[in-house]
Amino acid sequence: MQHRVVVLALDGLLPFELGIPQRIFGRSIGTESGGKGGRLYDVVTCSIRPPGPVRTDADFSILVEHGPEALATADTVVIPASYELGPVFEEGRLTEELAAALALVRPGTRMVSICTGSYVLAAAGYLDGRPATTHWSSADHFQRTFPQVRVDPDVLFIDDGEVLTSAGVAAGIDLCLHLVRRDHGTAVANEIARRTVVPPHRDGGQAQYIHRPVPEPQFATTTGARAWALARLDRPILLRDMAEQEAMSVRTFTRRFREEVGISPGQWLTQQRVERARHLLESTDLSIDQVARDAGFGTATSLRQHLQAALGVPPTAYRRTFRSSADIAPGGTRASTRGRV
C-alpha cells in the first residue's frame, strides 16, 4: 500500500515550495528485483477550504481539488511556506479554519514543514520542546514567537522522528530526499536526486548562505581537497594532507573549509564515510568488517559507533532494513544498477 503524502496549500504559498513534495515523493520509484517497481508514495494537495482556488505569492492562483478532509487520510503531512499566515506569524496562534483542518490529522501522522511552514507546526503545538529550524532570516522572530521551541538556525533540516522541519526554500528538497532515504534507502533517494538533477546530499548548513555585511574576499577554494579526499576515503586522511592539496596552512585551510562547507573538515570526512558505508551496506554483500575498511572507519567497532551516532541503528540493522538478499547478484553487488551519483 502506498504511503500517502498530503500537502497543505495555504493562501500566499510559494509555488516552488508547493511543487517540491510532488517532484520528490511523486517520482520515487521502488527498486524491486530486476530494477522495476511502482510508485512509493501517493501525493495529493489539499486546502483548508472546500476544493477551489488558492492564492500564491505570484501572479496566479492554483486550483486545489481536495478539501481539508484529505488530511485525515495522510501518513505524512507537508506544510510549505506561505506569505499570508496572518496571526500564525504575527501572534503564534492558528486561525479557527486552520485549527479545524489540522484537527483532522490522525495521531501518529508524520508532520513536515518547508521553510516558514514551521510556524504552522509550532502554532499547532507540534514543536513544543523539540528542536526545529526555519529560514535563517526568520529564525530570531520564530524563536521570540515560540520560546518553547529549540531553534537551530544553521542547519538545512532537522529530523526529530515524526516531526521534521527544513530551512528556506530549496532545503525542502534536502528534507524530502532525506525522508525518501529514511523510508526506502540510499539507492532510491539517489535515483530521484539524479532525475531531479540535484545532489543527493548537501554538505553543511544554511549558515553558508547567510549574507555577511563585510564578506572576506575569497580567492582560494577547498573543492580540490574535497575531491581528493573522496577518492581515498578508505585510507587515513590527515588535515595537513588536505591543506597541502590547496597549498594552504592548516589554519587557513580549516577556516576556509568552514566558510565554504559550514562544518569542520573532520565532521565532513565523517559524514562522507557514513554515506559510503550506507551505500556499501545497501548495495553489496561485503562483511561488516570489509565495509568498515572500505568506508575508512578501519574496524567494525568504529563503524558501529559512527553509524549509531549518525542514524541511530547499528550496521546489521541498517542492512536488514534497506537490503534484500533477492537483489544481490553474483559477485556481491545488487542486480539493480542504481547507486550513488
Side-chain angles (χ1 to χ4, degrees), residues 35-113:
K36 297 181 179 180
R39 293 189 182 277
L40 299 171
Y41 301 91
D42 173 33
V43 185
V44 300
T45 304
C46 78
S47 169
I48 59 174
R49 300 185 297 272
V54 173
R55 294 189 304 275
T56 74
D57 75 326
D59 62 344
F60 58 85
S61 297
I62 62 169
L63 182 62
V64 176
E65 298 184 355
H66 300 276
E69 65 279 354
L71 292 168
T73 70
D75 299 304
T76 294
V77 171
V78 180
I79 305 177
S82 163
Y83 284 146
E84 297 182 21
L85 290 176
V88 176
F89 183 85
E90 297 160 4
E91 304 169 35
R93 65 175 179 86
L94 299 175
T95 63
E96 291 185 7
E97 198 174 31
L98 182 51
L102 291 175
L104 299 173
V105 177
R106 295 174 298 176
T109 299
R110 188 164 62 186
M111 303 298 292
V112 177
S113 67

Side-chain angles (χ1 to χ4, degrees), residues 33 55 120 151 214 263 269 280-281 315:
S33 182
R55 294 189 304 275
V120 176
V151 181
V214 186
I263 54 178
L269 275 172
L280 293 173
L281 289 168

Side-chain angles (χ1 to χ4, degrees), residues 135-157:
H135 193 287
W136 61 264
S137 65
S138 297
D140 288 343
H141 179 269
F142 186 69
Q143 184 66 89
R144 290 194 304 271
T145 306
F146 304 105
Q148 70 276 24
V149 180
R150 305 200 308 273
V151 181
D152 186 342
D154 295 331
V155 297
L156 293 176
F157 61 83

